Amino acid sequence: MTVKTLKDLFIHSLSDVYSAEKQLTRALPRLARAATLPELRQAFEQHLEETQGQIERIDRLVEGSELRLKRIKCVAMEGLVEEGREEIDAIEKGAVLDAALIGAAQKVEHYEIAAYGTLCALARQLGLDDAARLLDETLQEEKATDEKLSALALQKVNEKLAA
């Protein structure tokens, strides 16, 4: 896709994050299975449900507009997912793996926070107020998930590692 206008950039960025969310729905069950801390497993399962809702939100955004997503693959998410997979394969189950999984998940969240922040700004600039509102809902969910992961690391995983 040739990006020549701000609208082109918005469509490209939205298509990219849509691909990222789809990839994440396939990766989160693997993270949940690898987690040993029940609260971490539950956080991954909850985030899977949330991610499915975020995909539906993008679908609603597109259906209610003249926008058409492009078929692209988010290579950033592909790399982050692969990095997580490598950690699962390389680290024995336990608190160290849980810490690595939290780190991998937070890298994903930070990527998504940046992507959705940019999309919100682009939508506002383009006068797509409904899109900006929907995208901001997702942005707030991503920030909350990042905070939840930080709290799990501080309150549960780091405790186990210090013992």
Side-chain angles (χ1 to χ4, degrees):
M1 170 184 181
T2 304
V3 176
K4 295 181 179 179
T5 67
L6 203 57
K7 186 175 179 181
D8 292 343
L9 180 60
F10 178 75
I11 292 168
H12 177 80
S13 298
L14 187 62
S15 300
D16 189 66
V17 81
Y18 190 77
S19 167
E21 297 290 17
K22 290 284 196 170
Q23 290 179 56
L24 192 54
T25 62
R26 293 186 296 275
L28 281 166
R30 188 178 315 112
L31 296 177
R33 285 190 303 274
T36 55
L37 188 66
E39 295 92 337
L40 182 56
R41 186 175 310 112
Q42 181 181 13
F44 288 142
E45 290 167 353
Q46 180 181 351
H47 194 55
L48 174 59
E49 289 177 30
E50 199 170 77
T51 300
Q52 291 164 335
Q54 293 165 351
I55 290 169
E56 290 170 12
R57 195 174 290 137
I58 293 172
D59 288 336
R60 282 197 327 264
L61 184 160
V62 171
E63 288 167 7
S65 71
E66 79 286 352
L67 302 173
R68 296 292 164 253
L69 294 179
K70 305 299 176 192
R71 301 197 89 183
I72 61 176
K73 185 168 197 174
C74 179
V75 294
M77 184 62 74
E78 185 177 37
L80 291 170
V81 166
E82 179 57 29
E83 198 172 297
R85 185 179 299 123
E86 288 172 1
E87 288 177 336
I88 290 170
D89 292 342
I91 302 170
E92 187 176 317
K93 261 190 178 268
V96 173
L97 178 57
D98 284 344
L101 294 174
I102 288 172
Q106 285 192 292
K107 288 177 186 178
V108 166
E109 292 311 310
H110 293 189
Y111 171 76
E112 290 180 317
I113 289 166
Y116 282 106
T118 299
L119 281 165
C120 287
L122 291 172
R124 281 190 216 96
Q125 182 69 29
L126 291 166
L128 302 172
D129 296 333
D130 288 341
R133 183 184 50 74
L134 288 171
L135 293 165
D136 188 61
E137 282 182 49
T138 298
L139 176 60
Q140 298 314 313
E141 289 173 353
E142 301 298 1
K143 288 178 178 179
T145 297
D146 182 52
E147 289 176 15
K148 182 186 293 185
L149 289 167
S150 288
L152 274 174
L154 291 171
Q155 297 166 5
K156 300 288 183 175
V157 176
N158 293 355
E159 245 177 45
K160 283 186 175 184
L161 291 171

